[in-house]
Every structure is written in C-alpha cells, then in structure tokens.
Amino acid sequence: MVMKKILALATLAAANYGAVSPAYAQDSIKIGVIAAFSGPFADYGKQMEGGIKAYMAQHGDSVAGKKIEIIIKDTTGPSPEIAKRLAQELVVRDKVDFLAGFGLTPEALAVAPVAEQAKKPMIIMNAATSAITTKSSYIVRFSMTLPQISAPMATWAVKNNIKKVVTLVADYGPGIDAEAAFKTELVKGGGTVVEAIRVPLRNPDFSPYIQRIKNAKPDAVFIFVPAGEQSIAFMKGYRERGLGEAGIKVIATGDLTDDHVLPAMGDATLGVITTFHYSAAHKSPENQAFLKSFAEANPKSGRPNFMAVGAYDGMAAIYEVVRKLNGKIDGDQAMAILKNIKLNSPRGPIAIDPNTRDIIQTVYVRKVEKINGEPYNVEFDKFTDQKDPGK
Ligand code: PHB
C-alpha cells in the first residue's frame, strides 16, 4: 500500500516534470525489458533480447521520428520482489513507455499492479499462466498459454490411442494449468490420468519421479517443465532409467524440446511428440527472414526459440503502436491498438483477442526428427485459431 502511494506520487511528479520540459521525455520511446539474464533462467532474457535485436536489425531503431531505446533489467530468476522493484524504477526513474519481457509467471504477476497503476502497456513475451492477462487491463500477451498448448496435446493423444497417462508438471502456475487442461481433454476423450506428479520449480531432482512413472506403466507421460535446464535434466533421466525401452512414450508441451537446447539433448528426444506455437523448422518466408536476422544480430547464440519469437512479435506490436500514435504514447490509446493487433509471425498468423488481450494462434503437433543430422521439431499436424480455453 505504501509503495503504491509512493509510486502514485512519483508518477505525478514525473508527469509534472514532463510538462515543464516536454522535449526531455519525447526524444525516444523507452521500452523496459524485465526478465532473468543471470541464474538458471538466464537463457530466457538472452533469447528475448536476441529476438528484440533481430526485429530492430530488420526494421530499424527509430519509428515516427523517435529513437527506440531498450532498457534491460535482470530479475536473476523467478523473483517477484525484484521484478516489481525493477518495474517501479523503470516507470518512475526511467519513465518508460512500455514494460516488456517476463519469462517467468511470478515476474509477470508481480509487475501487473505496477502496470495497472502507472497505465503502462505490459507486453508479455513468454510468461504463460492463463490468469496473467486478467491481472491488469494494460497486459497483452504475445507468447502462449499452457492450456492453449496442452489441450490439443490431449486431443491428439486420445486420437492416437494413448489413453493411460501419467502427468508430470512443474509445481507453479503454468504447470498446474497444463495439468488441468490436459486432463480435462484426455478424460473427455475416454482416457485417464493414473498419476499426477508435481515437481518443485527450483532445482528439481527428476530421478525419483521417473521411477514412479516407470512403476505406473502408463502408455505415455505428459510433461510440462520450464524450458532449458529442466528439459535437459528430464530427458537425461528418461534415457538413463530406460522409460523408452519400457514402452512409455513422452508427450509434452514444446517447452521440453525447446529449439535452443534441443541440439544438446542427445538422441533420447528423437520421436518425442509435442504441441507448441513455434518451431525453428516452421516453413514460411517470415520464419526464414526471422532466422536470418536472428543469426546476424546474435552471432554465436545458436538457434532462437519461442521466447525469441515472442519478443520479436512483441516488438512488431510496439512498432505498430508507435507508428499509429505518431510517437506520442498514451497508455490507453496504446492498449486500444494492441487489443486489435494481427501479425504474420515467424510462427504463423497470430491475433490478439480484444476481449481477453490474449493471443489466438495455431498450435502445431510436432515430432523430433533429424534434418541434415540436426534434431528439429518437425510440424506434422495443427489446430488453427486456438484461443486460451475457457476464456
Ligand atoms: C512461465 O513461468 O510462465 C513459463 C516459464 C517457462 C516456460 C513456459 C512458461 O517454458
């Protein structure tokens, strides 16, 4: 409450200052990017920054005569207090026009009240718990939601005679959403979840859980773990404990076979089926241009993943707002534009649902296969125009 007051006063002071010296605030458009750039989730910030750089390399660094200025802030991990403090600094001290980034759900939830209070558009580039967009009317999401991705995985599973499933999810917002949406669809199709396992978000040791999965003898295990190190750790356990040999298939959200880490995960991923909104192997001119620009703007960074694409599309939306408002950013006018954005993304066509400010997009079914000796998520089926279910 006290912080809220301080923020309100500081915002007021900033507004007054701007009135005395309008040129000061108007030279550039400032975008504050809040994400983890260090610690176990450092890759999230780096992928987003890479996507932002790729967009700016392709489209220039000024719009409507204004220079686009990116201010990077490191949360160090899923630390809500740090994320909130950084957002307050960005609003009060740096006077940003947009808040952006948010790899992890706890960061997004902590910043939502700051965006609401300061009337700053908050561009979600990854965080994927369904409820996030309900926490402020200034939030718009360019990534995905876990229910949007997980429900089609269950639909595909029952069609392919996978009926008895163990679920394993990270025990926080996106994992709980994934578990619920997957189960609802599976049960509708006549399947059953025989065991629902939740693992801690920080440093999980997968081996005891993998043994439990083996003992339950399901047709498949459905996985959501946050992309990166945890995907590598799960697939290592899967390989070492012989789940594949025991006839237990892996089905998952594409976080498990994240394009950035897939080449480092070894052959245990071959044949893994996932549903997701982006694959580096997606065939389209927009994706070709994105991959080229990402590689040029981020030498030696490896493959871009879905977080880079979320950031790239978020930047496309910001550029559109700046163009349409001719460089004078007002939070409410910006939101009116953001609510109706439609883009040809590297992932395929996307649109923002004006009622929910959440994304509508194609969810692809993919299988890990080698292309020229390198593993990729190869798309072979799709569910078009998917909303976040239940919204
Ligand atoms: C999230 O915290 O919302 C999150 C993190 C990593 C993912 C997906 C969602 O891969």
Side-chain angles (χ1 to χ4, degrees):
M1 273 300 111
V2 176
M3 267 332 283
K4 230 181 178 179
K5 250 194 191 148
I6 293 174
L7 181 64
L9 287 174
T11 313
L12 206 67
N16 286 339
Y17 184 68
V20 189
S21 176
Y24 173 76
Q26 297 299 313
D27 291 334
S28 62
I29 301 291
K30 293 186 182 178
I31 305 168
V33 178
I34 299 174
F37 286 86
S38 61
F41 298 97
D43 204 40
Y44 292 19
K46 289 176 192 157
Q47 282 287 323
M48 288 183 198
E49 188 180 12
I52 291 169
K53 282 189 180 158
Y55 189 83
M56 293 179 73
Q58 236 180 318
H59 300 273
D61 65 355
S62 59
V63 187
K66 299 282 159 72
K67 191 121 178 119
I68 302 293
E69 191 183 330
I70 306 292
I71 306 173
I72 297 284
K73 296 284 180 186
D74 179 9
T75 61
T76 72
S79 321
E81 307 77 22
I82 299 179
K84 185 166 189 181
R85 177 174 54 73
L86 294 173
Q88 285 165 336
E89 280 175 22
L90 284 166
V91 167
V92 173
R93 206 177 58 200
D94 299 304
K95 302 178 186 69
V96 294
D97 300 288
F98 297 89
L99 292 165
F102 312 103
L104 291 146
T105 287
E107 301 167 341
L109 291 177
V111 172
V114 180
E116 182 68 25
Q117 168 95 14
K119 297 184 187 295
K120 295 292 173 195
M122 178 170 163
I123 314 292
I124 306 280
M125 294 173 163
N126 182 58
T129 299
S130 176
I132 289 172
T133 40
T134 67
K135 302 298 178 190
S136 164
S137 52
Y138 291 90
I139 296 178
V140 57
R141 177 154 38 200
F142 285 90
S143 49
M144 57 146 172
T145 78
L146 262 307
Q148 180 182 51
I149 302 294
S150 306
M153 187 71 262
T155 308
W156 185 89
V158 288
K159 256 196 222 147
N160 288 275
N161 226 15
I162 294 172
K163 293 280 175 73
K164 184 181 165 188
V165 181
V166 172
T167 58
L168 180 145
V169 301
D171 189 7
Y172 77 124
I176 292 160
D177 274 1
E179 179 192 280
F182 180 85
K183 183 175 178 179
T184 301
E185 275 312 299
L186 191 80
V187 169
K188 250 193 236 168
T192 40
V193 171
V194 289
E195 200 167 343
I197 301 172
R198 295 181 181 176
V199 305
L201 172 60
R202 286 171 207 263
N203 307 317
D205 169 10
F206 287 108
S207 32
Y209 304 117
I210 290 175
Q211 191 57 46
R212 264 168 72 188
I213 296 166
K214 203 170 173 183
N215 296 345
K217 297 194 170 62
D219 300 328
V221 55
F222 167 74
I223 309 285
F224 164 77
V225 289
E229 286 184 358
Q230 295 197 17
S231 339
I232 298 175
F234 175 81
M235 286 312 300
K236 187 164 172 278
Y238 176 85
R239 189 176 57 235
E240 286 173 359
R241 296 207 170 225
L243 285 197
E245 289 79 3
I248 301 169
K249 295 187 183 72
V250 180
I251 54 177
T253 64
D255 309 82
L256 184 72
T257 55
D258 158 16
D259 282 302
H260 186 60
V261 296
L262 189 58
M265 286 169 80
D267 285 354
T269 57
L270 293 177
V272 169
I273 305 279
T274 56
T275 43
F276 221 33
H277 54 305
Y278 177 69
S279 165
H282 181 70
K283 287 201 176 80
S284 72
E286 290 81 9
N287 192 36
Q288 284 313 310
F290 165 70
L291 292 172
K292 182 167 177 283
S293 182
F294 187 92
E296 284 167 8
N298 306 279
K300 298 201 198 110
S301 291
R303 262 189 226 170
N305 72 6
F306 60 106
M307 298 195 197
V309 173
Y312 181 89
D313 291 340
M315 286 303 289
I318 289 173
Y319 272 43
E320 174 110 357
V321 169
V322 178
R323 250 190 318 269
K324 285 202 166 141
L325 295 182
N326 201 20
K328 292 188 192 65
I329 308 305
D330 164 86
D332 291 309
Q333 288 175 10
M335 287 314 297
I337 297 165
L338 287 166
K339 275 181 195 174
N340 290 294
I341 292 264
K342 286 187 174 54
L343 293 170
N344 279 324
S345 160
R347 67 188 105 169
I350 63 171
I352 299 300
D353 180 340
N355 296 318
T356 61
R357 288 163 280 98
D358 234 325
I359 190 161
I360 304 172
Q361 60 190 336
T362 302
V363 175
Y364 302 88
V365 190
R366 312 98 49 86
K367 185 179 197 172
V368 180
E369 284 171 9
K370 283 194 174 163
I371 302 177
N372 301 328
E374 288 282 311
Y376 277 93
N377 292 295
V378 178
E379 296 167 350
F380 64 91
D381 202 353
K382 62 184 176 183
F383 296 77
T384 53
D385 294 326
Q386 296 292 299
K387 288 188 174 190
D388 185 29
K391 269 194 185 152

